Amino acid sequence: MGLEIEGRASDSPYVSYVWRSRSEGVDRMTAVASACWDLVFWESRAGFQAAVAGPESRTSTAPVPEEAAFFGITFALGTSLTHLPAPLLVDGGVDIPGATRRSFWLKGSHWPVPGPDDAEAFADRLVRAGVLARDPLVSDLMRGGTPDVSARTAQRRFQAATGFTHGAARQIERARHAAVLLREGTAADDVVHRLGYYDEPHLAHALSRFIGRTAGQLRNDPRPARPLALLYKT
């Protein structure tokens, strides 16, 4: 019982992660901050539904449909829908009405519902149709690169493509990485050293703000009463 989640990383420049999950006996979860947005499909007693789930700037509590099966594509940071700018999606999202198991509408066109095995091909089709776009400057900055534009232009493009400043996106990604390491059993002081936190209180503050768990809870409570949302290192 709970929220079982499984997924895989992607080598597509447009897709970060492909996942599916199932809820049983749980009606709420702790949503983890994420700088990326998702296209999510789920089926519950209410029927088949779809939505664009926006990036999350901090942790929160979110409702979970009971006895539901989910499938989602987490798009890479810097990838955005051309008709739904990323800044408008932060801490929100858009329901997609009229979705069925076979198809759904997006930007005025009818699209087949993708699955775990064709998520990347689906993203490529969206790009060719002009529905999905990517600013490579974002991944360049996240890797520590120095784009050949002014700092002001780089920051403006980063915020337009993600809805976050470069610094805010880095804080979220670092906290998610820290949570993954702690769940794998890494000691808190080692996480502090490896990820460049000032000290353990600094790490604790980041976990509280972005993950909603303490270091001890992440290490010692693998099946909490209120499960965590999707958590992986991006």
Side-chain angles (χ1 to χ4, degrees), residues 70-206:
F70 303 83
F71 166 67
I73 301 173
T74 304
F75 287 87
L77 189 64
T79 300
S80 58
L81 291 166
T82 54
H83 65 299
L84 287 174
L88 299 182
L89 294 173
V90 175
D91 295 328
V94 176
D95 292 333
I96 301 175
T100 70
R101 288 181 179 178
R102 291 181 176 274
S103 64
F104 69 106
W105 285 89
L106 191 64
K107 199 183 178 183
S109 297
H110 211 212
W111 295 89
V113 173
D117 297 329
D118 66 350
E120 287 81 3
F122 171 73
D124 289 342
R125 289 196 294 273
L126 292 179
V127 172
R128 289 195 295 272
V131 178
L132 196 67
R134 170 178 171 268
D135 189 339
L137 174 143
V138 172
S139 55
D140 189 15
L141 280 174
M142 291 299 285
R143 289 195 297 265
T146 306
D148 189 22
V149 296
S150 69
R152 177 176 294 183
T153 297
Q155 189 65 273
R156 178 181 55 77
R157 284 176 53 181
F158 194 99
Q159 285 189 266
T162 68
F164 294 95
T165 64
H166 181 206
R170 287 186 59 189
Q171 287 186 57
I172 291 172
E173 296 302 297
R174 183 166 65 163
R176 293 175 62 94
H177 190 184
V180 169
L181 291 173
L182 289 163
R183 291 183 85 178
E184 292 173 348
T186 305
D189 58 350
D190 192 15
V191 173
V192 167
H193 174 71
R194 290 171 63 174
L195 300 186
Y197 287 100
Y198 297 124
D199 49 28
E200 290 195 30
H202 187 203
L203 169 63
H205 176 74

